[in-house]
Amino acid sequence: MNQAYSTPRRKHSPAKGITALIFGILYAAFLLLHNLLPTRMGIALILESVLPWTGVFLALVLLMFLIRFSWLSAIGFLVPALVWTGMFGPALLPNEDSGDPDLTVATHNVGARMPQPTAAAQNIVDRDPDIVTIQELESLSGKIIHKELDSSFEHSQVVDTIGVWSKWPMSEPEEVDLGLQWPRAFATTISTDHGDVRFYAVHMPSVRPGHESMRNAALRRLSTTVETDGAEHVIIAGDFNTASTDNNMETLVPSLKDSREEARGGFGFTWPAKFPVTRLDHVLYRGFDATSDEVLERGSSDHRAVLAGLNLK
């Protein structure tokens, strides 16, 4: 007599997908609590500078979900996906065309060794901005750009390595003390067709992993200066050497708005120019609404230029 054999059924494991759940929850916690990252050895600086890119971990969690399909792995994917989308999704929404802005502002760190300075200056001039601020003017290429912009704008102010060019008259520059041994920021009042605008041109100290204290102190000093400025319409533009997602930017934002965050249309990374992974160059303001924020095509600097359109409130 033949004995019938049956294949035993595989028991369902209640822990199926637990790895994806744990990994996903830890990643979501990292996003929400990134301001608690240690500053030692530049850990916070590096990770916060590329925070949007950590979304690649979502692909890993998704792969875990597909391999170990279960409600635990589903939660492990959905929780960090919702957190990441809540933090960075609005920036990816398309920009709505709001027509011609009241004024446009351009900022560009032209670098110390720019092989085509004339073309770089013309690239900005061709966009017909109302106000331009340039950083690192001390080099030969910077001096050439200085001369090119002088021929295109009626008004200019230059302090050490930073300058501002405008279609409208400007007051004498007032150096902003950032606690450094050399000027890296100044303020001027620009008499625009729409009223006076207080304009700050800035170039924060360079930063390296583990050596952020000078830049952070300069940011705090700038924040104090701007907070005590009673002007209704204020613009702060330049190279902040600080990513939008860097916790230290909270000293300036959200008390100020950021043109890229308000105008949307992508992350607007500006550095390094060949393959930008973070945004170090910003147009911040109060008393305005941003209508556009555009990162210009790569030139010969290690930064890409930013062009922002603003409407007075």
Side-chain angles (χ1 to χ4, degrees), residues 151-206:
S151 64
S152 300
F153 290 87
E154 186 176 352
H155 307 280
S156 66
Q157 298 286 3
V158 175
V159 174
D160 204 72
T161 64
I162 52 179
V164 175
W165 285 261
S166 168
K167 292 182 177 180
W168 301 295
M170 294 185 284
S171 65
E172 289 297 313
E174 304 164 34
E175 184 182 336
V176 177
D177 181 14
L178 298 181
L180 307 173
Q181 295 181 346
W182 62 96
R184 294 288 289 258
F186 71 86
T188 181
T189 299
I190 303 178
S191 302
T192 77
D193 293 343
H194 310 282
D196 288 349
V197 171
R198 188 71 165 163
F199 190 91
Y200 288 80
V202 304
H203 184 192
M204 287 292 147
S206 298

Side-chain angles (χ1 to χ4, degrees), residues 42-214:
I43 293 175
L45 172 69
I46 295 171
L47 291 177
E48 288 187 322
S49 294
V50 295
L51 203 59
W53 291 94
T54 63
V56 298
F57 288 116
L58 287 175
L60 179 58
V61 182
L62 178 60
L63 181 61
M64 293 180 182
F65 166 61
L66 295 175
I67 294 175
R68 301 290 290 172
F69 192 87
S70 70
W71 65 272
L72 287 179
S73 58
I75 294 174
F77 172 72
L78 289 175
V79 170
L82 290 173
V83 172
W84 190 95
T85 302
M87 292 177 65
F88 306 116
L92 300 177
L93 295 173
N95 173 258
E96 297 180 3
D97 187 2
S98 303
D100 293 333
D102 292 334
L103 56 87
T104 54
V105 178
T107 178
H108 194 195
N109 181 328
V110 297
R113 296 185 180 91
M114 175 174 276
Q116 297 176 316
T118 302
Q122 195 60 45
N123 185 40
I124 293 177
V125 170
D126 288 346
R127 307 308 296 269
D128 194 31
D130 299 303
I131 305 169
V132 177
T133 180
I134 300 292
Q135 303 87 51
E136 296 202 24
L137 287 168
E138 74 275 17
S139 63
L140 176 59
S141 57
K143 292 175 182 178
I144 294 174
I145 290 173
H146 187 165
K147 183 178 179 180
E148 290 292 323
L149 292 176
D150 280 347
S151 64
S152 300
F153 290 87
E154 186 176 352
H155 307 280
S156 66
Q157 298 286 3
V158 175
V159 174
D160 204 72
T161 64
I162 52 179
V164 175
W165 285 261
S166 168
K167 292 182 177 180
W168 301 295
M170 294 185 284
S171 65
E172 289 297 313
E174 304 164 34
E175 184 182 336
V176 177
D177 181 14
L178 298 181
L180 307 173
Q181 295 181 346
W182 62 96
R184 294 288 289 258
F186 71 86
T188 181
T189 299
I190 303 178
S191 302
T192 77
D193 293 343
H194 310 282
D196 288 349
V197 171
R198 188 71 165 163
F199 190 91
Y200 288 80
V202 304
H203 184 192
M204 287 292 147
S206 298
V207 64
R208 297 292 183 271
H211 299 84
E212 306 104 80
S213 58
M214 185 180 295

Side-chain angles (χ1 to χ4, degrees), residues 53 269-278 298 302 304:
W53 291 94
F269 297 138
T270 62
W271 184 90
K274 288 184 179 180
F275 184 83
V277 298
T278 190
R298 174 193 169 196
D302 60 340
R304 295 195 183 194

Side-chain angles (χ1 to χ4, degrees), residues 21-41:
L21 176 66
I22 294 174
F23 192 91
I25 295 300
L26 288 176
Y27 175 55
F30 161 75
L31 290 175
L32 293 171
L33 303 174
H34 68 86
N35 59 318
L36 300 180
L37 287 169
T39 58
R40 186 172 178 270
M41 299 178 63

Side-chain angles (χ1 to χ4, degrees), residues 221-232:
R221 284 175 175 265
L222 176 63
S223 177
T224 300
T225 300
V226 174
E227 285 178 359
T228 57
D229 192 322
E232 181 181 2

